[in-house]
């Protein structure tokens, strides 16, 4: 695999006479891919039924003649204003019951059948015109499903769709009442049409009801995506891609990804540090202009799994963004570092957002590779630098890591529905494990929990996995690796009720959870030998060995041979100790890293990334702030 660079470009924002120069400058900077079209519906179909493709034909001609490969987006994240005249009820509705109005983007409800069909139609039109055009190297469907909190919609269309979905899933209303436990508080229904969406209830709705709605909402995203996949598969053999976002969990990305050829995601490290990571104020200050050292890598590894090995960064932050509470600029070198880190994790393409900063509308303060006046912004020099370095890595190879971390979207919905404590968040838990693995210098493969091929991994972690899929159970039984489950693993059924009888996975582990406590942020339960439990603590009855216990003598980590169960949420010190113990058992070599330094192994290459704003000494090398280094078979090549 030969990594390449790309850029997001909006020809419809600029006069045509500057397109040729833009294209030439992209090539001069070493960019080979350009993504266009994903928000251009009002220019492709200015009036209902009146299509105008001429400008897009000319833009594609110019870009391709300059030597660029085009990724064409379907424009369905931005329905034009006239669409509302056709479908006044197509707007998504928030949990408070208010429609999400026209005037920005993503204002559609996934369940609106008329809108979905219209999206298929415009996609078919684009497919007919460009599907056999070899100059279109790939297609992007829609843009960032779920971004701006748009997966769950409480509209009339959703209500209608939900009822049909429930009837299909449960078959009879009695079965639904039974599965949800609706005898509680006299919530029993007489027919499916009596069931409403789980918002605006006086107090908490039945968690089974809410979880069903979350599953339904995820299925709606999958179906929406599928309808465009169908339209495009008829027209083209080019790969189909979607660009996912960071820490969006409301739909099952593995299910959407199963219908596509390549996964991609939009990486905004500094924006994410500011608006979607739990971290201490000191941590946020230390990485203010670099982004969190693990957030990008986590998503690279996650979306590599979603894309079954094929993935891109479709949008890479090139300078300050506009949408976070505060928007500092990247330190010099960070745009290059982020790019190399993505490539080290297997990205086939890293594409910057965007070519030139827009002088108008919502993102006028968002940097591009060029300033609005056409002068170069700092990100462009770093793009050039990466492109000059790329030939060093002409053939990048990805090898299986030694450690696997299971990730499961339905578990995230289960715990979002029934958190039991304000700080129990699935992403946060899994990310705390990922961070610990990376502090120990490990490369990690993230795997979907229901079809995980766990063979060959020395260590497999399954934190917070709500239920055990039978195929996973079998796969785990056959694996020779050390397995660490918990906290809160296998504690609920797929309906979000407590499982009756014995839980097979827990029987294997010879452990039972007697009860669970959630803990407020400042409360710690110290563990003998160092570290503590935070947020979540289980009282375990275990016939297996106690590997760690609390200072009051409660079992914290228990296990038989290679099957371990963790009955709480460890702080950093405790995670480090657990990994140390697991590494000894699993014959895994840990390399505890200096703060802010991260490694990634790719084939015979090893990369190091210095996320610090200061020098770090590592592997006989002095790494400057924001430095990237790479060694092949022990010899430094970057
Ligand atoms: C992404 C989005 C882009 C642009 C960008 C700004 O989420 O896909 O269209 O809005 O953010 O950072």
């Amino acid at each position: 695999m030969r990594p390449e660079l790309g850029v997001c470009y909006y020809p419809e924002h600029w006069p045509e006479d500057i397109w040729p120069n833009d294209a030439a400058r992209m090539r001069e900077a070493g960019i080979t891919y350009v993504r266009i079209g994903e928000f251009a519906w009002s220019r492709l179909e200015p009036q209902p039924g009146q299509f105008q493709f001429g400008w897009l034909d000319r833009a594609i001609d110019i870009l391709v003649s300059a030597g660029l490969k085009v990724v064409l987006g379907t424009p369905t994240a931005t329905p034009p204003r006239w669409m509302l005249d056709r479908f006044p009820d197509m707007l998504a509705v928030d949990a408070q019951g208010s429609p999400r109005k026209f005037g920005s983007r993503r204002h559609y409800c996934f369940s609106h059948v008329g809108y979905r069909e219209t999206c298929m139609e415009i996609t078919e039109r684009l497919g007919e015109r460009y599907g056999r055009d070899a100059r279109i190297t790939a297609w992007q469907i829609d843009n960032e499903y779920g971004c701006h909190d748009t997966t769950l919609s409480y509209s009339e269309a959703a209500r209608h769709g939900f009822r049909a979905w429930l009837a299909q899933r449960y078959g009879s209303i009695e079965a639904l009442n039974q599965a949800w436990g609706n005898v509680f508080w006299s919530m029993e229904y007489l027919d499916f049409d009596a069931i409403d969406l789980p918002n605006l209830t006086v107090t908490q709705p039945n968690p089974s009801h809410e979880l069903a709605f979350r599953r339904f909402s995820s299925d709606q995203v999958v179906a929406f995506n599928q309808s465009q996949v169908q339209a495009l598969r008829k027209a083209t053999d080019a790969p189909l891609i979607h660009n996912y976002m960071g820490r969006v969990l409301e739909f099952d990305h593995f299910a959407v990804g199963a219908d596509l050829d390549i996964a991609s995601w939009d990486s905004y490290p500094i924006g994410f540090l500011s608006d979607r990571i739990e971290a201490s104020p000191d941590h946020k200050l230390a990485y203010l202009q670099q982004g969190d050292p693990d957030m990008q890598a986590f998503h690279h590894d996650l979306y590599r799994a979603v894309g079954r090995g094929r993935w891109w960064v479709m949008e890479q932050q090139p300078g300050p963004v506009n949408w976070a509470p505060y928007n500092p600029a990247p330190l010099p070198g960070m745009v290059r570092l982020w790019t190399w880190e993505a490539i080290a994790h297997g990205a086939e393409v890293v594409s910057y957002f965007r070519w030139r900063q827009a002088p108008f509308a919502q993102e006028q303060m968002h940097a591009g590779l060029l300033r609005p006046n056409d002068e170069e912004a700092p990100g462009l020099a770093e793009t050039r630098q990466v492109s000059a370095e790329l030939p060093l890595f002409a053939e990048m190879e990805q090898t299986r890591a030694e450690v696997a971390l299971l990730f499961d979207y339905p578990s995230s919905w289960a715990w979002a529905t029934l958190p039991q404590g304000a700080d129990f968040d699935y992403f946060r838990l899994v990310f705390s494990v990922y961070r610990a693995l990376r502090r120990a210098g490990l490369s990690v493969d993230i795997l979907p929990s229901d079809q995980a091929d766990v063979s060959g991994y020395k260590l497999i972690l399954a934190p917070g996995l709500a239920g055990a899929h039978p195929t996973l159970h079998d796969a785990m039984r056959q694996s020779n690796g050390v397995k660490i489950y918990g906290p809160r693993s296998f504690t609920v059924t797929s309906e979000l009720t407590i499982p009756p009888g014995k839980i097979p996975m827990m029987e294997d582990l010879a452990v039972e959870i007697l009860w669970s406590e959630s803990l407020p942020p400042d409360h710690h339960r110290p563990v003998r030998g160092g570290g503590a439990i935070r947020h979540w603590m289980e009282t375990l009855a275990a016939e297996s060995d106690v590997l760690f216990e609390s200072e009051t003598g409660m079992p914290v980590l228990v296990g038989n041979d290679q099957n371990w169960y963790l009955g709480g949420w460890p702080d950093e010190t405790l995670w480090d100790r657990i990994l140390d113990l697991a590494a000894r058992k699993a014959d895994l070599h840990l390399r505890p890293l200096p703060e802010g330094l991260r490694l990634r192994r790719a084939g015979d290459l090893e990369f190091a990334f210095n996320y610090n704003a200061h020098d770090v000494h590592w592997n006989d090398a002095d790494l400057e702030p924001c430095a990237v280094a790479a060694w092949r078979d022990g010899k430094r090549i970057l």
Side-chain angles (χ1 to χ4, degrees):
M1 196 264 306
R2 198 177 273 267
E4 295 184 61
L5 301 180
V7 74
C8 305
Y9 185 52
Y10 299 91
E12 69 277 21
H13 295 180
W14 311 106
E16 278 197 41
D17 58 359
I18 72 170
W19 297 352
N21 193 37
D22 280 345
R25 288 177 82 185
M26 290 173 197
R27 287 295 295 123
E28 172 275 325
I31 289 168
T32 46
Y33 274 91
V34 58
R35 182 197 63 176
I36 57 172
E38 83 279 10
F39 298 130
W41 201 334
S42 70
R43 292 298 171 94
L44 292 169
E45 193 181 1
Q47 308 270 344
Q50 287 179 19
F51 292 93
Q52 286 190 3
F53 291 119
W55 68 269
L56 187 55
D57 293 347
R58 293 192 294 281
I60 292 171
D61 273 345
I62 288 170
L63 295 166
V64 171
S65 328
L68 291 154
K69 294 178 266 194
V70 173
V71 179
L72 184 57
T74 71
T76 52
T78 49
R81 177 62 185 83
W82 55 255
M83 194 72 71
L84 288 180
D85 300 329
R86 187 186 287 176
F87 302 123
D89 57 349
M90 64 163 282
L91 294 173
V93 172
D94 72 13
Q96 277 62 53
S98 305
R100 307 193 69 183
K101 294 203 271 179
F102 180 83
S104 63
R105 63 178 169 183
R106 297 214 57 77
H107 40 284
Y108 67 87
C109 175
F110 282 101
S111 298
H112 195 279
V113 176
Y115 182 62
R116 194 187 292 177
E117 284 169 4
T118 307
C119 290
M120 245 184 121
E121 278 160 30
I122 180 102
T123 304
E124 271 162 5
R125 285 275 181 160
L126 286 165
E128 277 158 23
R129 193 163 186 105
Y130 302 108
R132 298 286 159 219
D133 186 336
R135 302 171 310 165
I136 309 298
T137 359
W139 291 73
Q140 176 184 302
I141 297 182
D142 203 278
N143 190 80
E144 291 183 347
Y145 292 138
C147 188
H148 314 308
D149 200 9
T150 50
T151 303
L152 303 182
S153 161
Y154 300 85
S155 69
E156 194 49 45
R159 187 182 348 268
H160 195 71
F162 185 47
R163 287 172 179 165
W165 184 92
L166 291 171
Q168 174 82 27
R169 179 176 169 96
Y170 296 96
S172 75
I173 197 68
E174 293 75 23
L176 178 144
N177 283 325
Q178 175 70 26
W180 292 7
N182 281 337
V183 61
F184 194 78
W185 291 351
S186 278
M187 291 183 295
E188 284 163 308
Y189 296 101
L190 299 182
D191 56 68
F192 287 106
D193 284 344
I195 304 178
D196 211 329
L197 301 176
N199 63 326
L200 297 173
T201 50
V202 173
T203 182
Q204 188 194 4
N206 186 338
S208 304
H209 184 177
E210 187 179 328
L211 181 64
F213 178 62
R214 287 177 179 273
R215 285 186 195 283
F216 156 79
S217 302
S218 174
D219 284 358
Q220 296 302 88
V221 179
V222 174
F224 183 91
N225 183 66
Q226 262 165 4
S227 63
Q228 292 192 44
V229 168
Q230 255 174 38
L232 286 173
R233 293 281 185 222
K234 280 187 277 178
T236 181
D237 298 323
L240 309 184
I241 311 182
H242 177 72
N243 57 332
Y244 305 101
M245 238 299 180
R247 201 173 178 169
V248 164
L249 303 169
E250 289 78 17
F251 67 91
D252 190 335
H253 293 49
F254 291 115
V256 170
D259 294 316
L260 299 171
D261 304 299
I262 299 176
S264 75
W265 82 288
D266 297 346
S267 178
Y268 291 94
I270 294 178
F272 292 156
L273 178 77
S274 158
D275 91 339
R276 63 192 72 180
I277 297 186
E278 295 84 1
S280 68
D282 283 352
H283 182 90
K284 292 207 175 192
L285 279 178
Y287 298 107
L288 186 75
Q289 295 181 268
Q290 305 97 300
D292 180 90
D294 298 307
M295 182 72 167
Q296 291 65 253
F298 179 89
H299 287 86
H300 298 335
D301 291 342
L302 174 63
Y303 293 131
R304 190 172 64 248
V306 168
R308 298 175 306 283
R310 294 202 65 187
W311 74 279
W312 299 10
V313 171
M314 191 63 90
E315 299 180 11
Q316 173 62 65
Q317 175 168 0
V321 302
N322 64 298
W323 43 262
Y326 305 98
N327 297 295
L331 288 181
M334 281 316 293
V335 172
R336 170 173 172 264
L337 183 151
W338 296 325
T339 309
W340 274 115
E341 191 176 37
I343 293 172
H345 284 253
E348 297 176 10
V349 176
V350 178
S351 166
Y352 301 96
F353 180 91
R354 50 186 275 159
W355 175 241
R356 186 188 296 101
Q357 181 174 348
F360 43 71
Q362 281 91 330
E363 292 177 353
Q364 54 187 278
M365 297 298 290
H366 191 301
L369 294 179
L370 297 184
R371 299 184 213 285
N373 67 4
D374 246 5
E375 284 169 12
E376 293 192 8
L380 191 59
E382 295 192 30
T383 306
R384 262 197 212 101
Q385 187 182 348
V386 176
S387 110
E389 292 162 343
L390 277 175
L392 278 175
F393 301 89
E395 289 307 324
M396 286 283 299
E397 203 195 316
Q398 290 294 318
T399 34
R400 192 174 259 236
E402 292 181 309
V403 180
L405 176 60
L406 301 189
F407 195 79
D408 179 59
Y409 288 90
S411 295
S412 158
W413 311 332
W415 305 142
T417 302
L418 200 65
Q420 176 66 4
D423 293 333
F424 199 100
D425 176 273
Y426 179 71
F427 178 91
R428 187 175 177 184
L429 174 66
V430 177
F431 192 50
S432 73
V433 185
Y434 184 81
R435 286 182 143 156
L437 294 166
R438 301 246 305 163
R439 279 197 300 278
L442 294 167
S443 294
V444 181
D445 285 345
I446 294 182
L447 304 179
S449 69
D450 56 346
Q451 43 191 300
D453 172 8
V454 293
S455 55
Y457 288 101
K458 290 186 172 176
L459 174 64
I460 306 154
L461 297 112
L465 202 58
H469 201 276
T471 56
L472 174 68
H473 193 178
D474 293 345
M476 291 297 237
R477 270 192 174 148
Q478 279 160 26
S479 128
N480 297 323
V482 170
K483 284 141 284 197
I484 308 182
Y485 306 96
R488 224 178 169 179
S489 291
F490 319 123
T491 51
V492 291
T493 66
S494 55
E495 298 297 332
L496 203 37
T497 58
I498 295 175
K502 298 277 184 208
I503 304 162
M505 281 301 246
M506 297 301 262
E507 282 200 292
D508 281 10
L509 291 160
V511 61
E512 203 183 335
I513 302 169
L514 301 183
W515 75 9
S516 311
E517 298 173 80
S518 58
L519 310 173
D522 297 330
H523 180 78
H524 296 191
R525 296 271 168 90
V527 169
R528 281 206 179 116
I533 291 292
R534 305 187 58 199
H535 309 307
W536 187 264
M537 174 92 191
E538 290 162 359
T539 304
L540 302 179
E543 284 164 31
S544 44
D545 299 340
V546 175
L547 306 173
F548 284 120
E549 63 182 5
S550 73
E551 284 188 354
T552 58
M554 286 170 74
V556 165
L557 181 71
V558 297
N560 279 332
D561 193 28
Q562 290 173 311
N563 289 314
W564 298 2
Y565 188 86
L566 171 64
W569 183 319
D571 67 3
E572 289 194 0
T573 309
L574 185 56
W575 264 129
D576 293 346
R577 289 184 60 211
I578 293 171
L579 288 186
D580 211 51
L581 191 67
R584 273 185 271 140
K585 181 91 191 163
D587 188 25
L588 192 64
H589 178 53
L590 302 188
R591 288 185 295 165
L593 298 175
E595 165 72 32
L597 186 78
R598 291 294 181 261
L599 305 179
R600 168 76 191 172
R601 183 155 270 294
D604 56 1
L605 289 168
E606 180 158 84
F607 286 86
F609 302 96
N610 182 13
Y611 266 84
N612 293 295
H614 54 78
D615 288 6
V616 163
H617 191 75
W618 173 256
N619 212 5
D620 292 333
D622 283 318
L623 303 178
E624 290 173 358
C626 314
V628 179
W631 294 264
R632 176 169 275 135
D633 297 326
K635 188 166 165 282
R636 184 155 179 194
I637 58 167
L638 183 72

